[in-house]
């Protein structure tokens, strides 16, 4: 029996921003093309379900405990995520240490595109999307 593909899938995009010890945050998407030429439009984000249980993962590892939780999202010309780290966890402490020392400088979102069109970069221009997680 052939496998039937589902429209529910995880995709990622990346942008960079320096970390901060006081209020960790990062740009998680902007209208700029990512390294694959995809553009994920910030104004098209649907995050209602995400904000009910907003995990900060490491490497999109859905099987592991999150390393933190997203506390809020700022959405305007870009989307900025703010979070707090999981405390008293050896792995989360290692990830936080790498962030605070500038070793980790990349964000990647897990999402499902709801409305996309091809763009000038031979990639996709995602106009509406549902956020699942942040890594």
């Amino acid at each position: 029996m052939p496998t039937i593909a589902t429209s529910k899938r995880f995709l990622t995009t990346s942008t960079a921003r320096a970390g901060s010890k006081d209020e960790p945050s990062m740009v998680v998407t902007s209208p700029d093309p990512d390294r694959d030429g995809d553009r994920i439009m910030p104004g098209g984000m649907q995050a209602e379900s995400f904000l009910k249980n907003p995990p900060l993962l490491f490497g999109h590892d859905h099987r592991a405990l999150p390393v933190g939780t997203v506390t809020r999202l700022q959405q305007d010309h870009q989307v900025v995520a703010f979070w707090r780290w999981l405390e008293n966890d050896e792995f989360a402490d290692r990830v936080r240490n790498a962030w605070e020392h500038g070793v980790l400088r990349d964000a990647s979102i897990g999402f499902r595109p709801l409305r996309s069109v091809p763009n000038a970069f031979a990639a996709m221009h995602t106009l509406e999307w549902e956020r699942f997680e942040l890594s």
Side-chain angles (χ1 to χ4, degrees):
M1 174 175 249
T3 303
I4 299 173
T6 176
S7 63
K8 188 173 181 182
R9 57 193 169 136
F10 288 94
L11 302 173
T12 60
T13 188
S14 300
T15 58
R17 178 177 174 165
S20 167
K21 290 182 180 181
D22 297 328
E23 185 178 34
S25 64
M26 62 181 126
V27 174
V28 295
T29 197
S30 74
D32 298 327
D34 67 12
R35 66 182 127 203
D36 295 323
D38 292 321
R39 295 177 68 203
I40 314 300
M41 301 311 294
M45 178 179 67
Q46 294 182 10
E48 295 80 19
S49 293
F50 169 76
L51 290 171
K52 292 177 184 175
N53 183 26
L56 176 65
L57 304 178
F58 180 77
H60 299 287
D61 188 352
H62 298 270
R63 295 170 294 165
L65 285 173
V67 295
T69 186
V70 176
T71 55
R72 65 186 170 102
L73 297 171
Q74 178 182 335
Q75 181 181 5
D76 45 43
H77 67 282
Q78 59 189 12
V79 177
V80 178
F82 299 82
W83 72 90
R84 71 173 189 268
W85 296 104
L86 177 64
E87 295 183 14
N88 303 315
D89 180 85
E90 185 178 334
F91 184 70
D93 289 344
R94 289 180 58 215
V95 174
R96 176 179 43 214
N97 184 50
W99 169 261
E100 289 175 354
H101 284 88
V103 174
L104 293 177
R105 299 182 301 270
D106 203 37
S108 184
I109 58 174
F111 69 98
R112 178 172 57 108
L114 301 173
R115 187 167 59 101
S116 298
V117 296
N119 67 20
F121 307 105
M124 296 306 292
H125 183 88
T126 301
L127 303 168
E128 295 178 17
W129 50 286
E130 181 182 7
R131 167 179 243 93
F132 289 143
E133 52 92 354
L134 173 63
S135 292

